[in-house]
Amino acid sequence: MPDDLSQQKPNEDAHEQKRTSWVKGKEMGGKIMGWVLALMVAILALCIGFSFKSRYPISSSSPSPQQKLFKVDELALYNGTDEGLPILLGILGSVFDVTKGKTHYGVGGGYNHFAGRDASRAFVSGNFTGEGLTDSLRGLSNAEIKTVVEWRSFYQKTYILVGKLVGLYFDDQGNPTKHLKGAEAKAARGAQLLKKQKKEEDKLPSCNSRWSQGEGGEVWCDDGFPRLVQRPLEIALTGKMSKRCACFREDQLGEPGLEVYDGCDYQAKTCRV
């Protein structure tokens, strides 16, 4: 019996040595795989970073990766003429990548005049040439500035925000300027005024209206006579919002401030516009 045990013992030791060696090998293999995966993730992140920088080369003064700063001449490069670059536009100093809307913002597109610049004013003025393509909102009403802010919200929801334009609305550190804060304050005031005005206008029925490319525009009243009436100056200083069409009874037509449409009879219920 002792002889039998002495013969079995070396075999058990050998088996234990093999098992221990296999476990250590497995642990080492796991560590190596972990190092390899970590290295691959680091390389991938580095490549993504270089790719973003190559698409949006920015000023070296940018304080953080989250805050991409563009100068006016840099933004102008992204106007859709170079197919190797994305198409960018600015509104109130915020810069958006609108490449997915290339059919609209690319060369020949209906909104190409917005590409490569901040033309905030044109979003409400409709002036897409010369001095109309500017970021200045000087002279616009609170309600019109509110519309510009709403356009910015549209781009925030629809496109990718890629940075800020150094200039009127952001300083060289990417901080909002007094002009941006002032525009947002006026927009909030405009929203309050429009809400107040709507309550007032609901007391006086608006005209019906329709328009077609072949026949043009037309306004009419089911009950009463169409007249143009001035909106409060605090709501609309410029543009199409300065007047609206409302229906007045015959005994109201003598009230001051009512305007008959050009070429329309005094007591006509339908007018061409």
Side-chain angles (χ1 to χ4, degrees):
M1 183 68 68
D3 291 340
D4 292 337
L5 290 175
S6 63
Q7 292 175 358
Q8 293 176 11
K9 185 68 184 298
N11 293 334
E12 292 175 355
D13 291 341
H15 178 72
E16 180 63 24
Q17 290 175 359
K18 289 181 180 180
R19 189 186 71 82
T20 303
S21 176
W22 179 80
V23 170
K24 291 181 178 180
K26 185 176 181 181
E27 292 176 349
M28 182 59 70
K31 291 180 179 179
I32 293 173
M33 286 298 296
W35 295 336
V36 170
L37 288 174
L39 181 60
M40 290 176 66
V41 170
I43 292 174
L44 180 60
L46 188 60
C47 289
I48 292 174
F50 279 128
S51 174
F52 189 87
K53 288 180 180 179
S54 66
R55 285 172 63 83
Y56 309 108
I58 59 174
S59 171
S60 59
S61 64
S62 177
S64 72
Q66 290 75 33
Q67 191 178 65
K68 310 301 179 184
L69 300 182
F70 295 87
K71 295 180 180 179
V72 172
D73 56 348
E74 291 173 334
L75 183 60
L77 299 175
Y78 300 91
N79 63 359
T81 57
D82 187 340
E83 294 186 356
L85 295 176
I87 304 173
L88 307 182
L89 68 74
I91 179 168
L92 293 176
S94 294
V95 180
F96 298 91
D97 185 335
V98 296
T99 308
K100 71 177 184 179
K102 185 177 181 179
T103 55
H104 303 294
Y105 297 99
V107 176
Y111 302 129
N112 178 245
H113 39 258
F114 288 118
R117 57 163 59 94
D118 185 333
S120 296
R121 187 184 191 88
F123 281 94
V124 292
S125 70
N127 184 356
F128 304 135
T129 59
E131 295 181 355
L133 295 172
T134 177
D135 57 358
S136 173
L137 304 181
R138 183 184 298 274
L140 295 183
S141 69
N142 292 332
E144 288 171 320
I145 294 175
K146 170 182 173 291
T147 299
V148 177
V149 171
E150 289 173 344
W151 271 110
R152 184 184 63 178
S153 297
F154 164 78
Y155 283 99
Q156 289 171 336
K157 295 175 183 177
T158 310
Y159 295 99
I160 299 173
L161 176 67
V162 296
K164 301 171 182 177
L165 179 63
V166 176
L168 187 62
Y169 299 109
F170 291 98
D171 63 21
D172 58 6
Q173 297 299 313
N175 300 313
T177 66
K178 64 179 182 180
H179 296 285
L180 180 59
K181 295 176 182 178
E184 291 174 339
K186 288 181 179 179
R189 177 61 175 160
Q192 295 174 348
L193 291 171
L194 287 174
K195 185 176 180 180
K196 176 182 177 182
Q197 180 64 12
K198 186 178 183 305
K199 290 182 179 179
E200 293 299 317
E201 291 184 354
D202 285 344
K203 300 175 182 178
L204 193 64
S206 297
C207 304
N208 301 302
S209 64
R210 57 172 165 250
W211 183 91
S212 68
Q213 189 168 359
E215 298 181 0
E218 186 177 58
V219 295
W220 74 95
C221 294
D222 295 325
D223 183 16
F225 305 90
R227 291 292 187 271
L228 282 170
V229 58
Q230 180 72 43
R231 282 192 167 104
L233 293 180
E234 63 179 354
I235 292 181
L237 296 176
T238 63
K240 297 179 181 179
M241 293 184 64
S242 62
K243 297 178 182 180
R244 77 177 186 104
C245 182
C247 296
F248 292 84
R249 300 187 311 270
E250 186 173 2
D251 62 335
Q252 295 176 309
L253 297 181
E255 293 181 4
L258 304 188
E259 181 181 338
V260 180
Y261 279 93
D262 290 339
C264 190
D265 292 337
Y266 186 81
Q267 288 191 319
K269 290 194 173 185
T270 300
C271 296
R272 307 294 300 179
V273 296

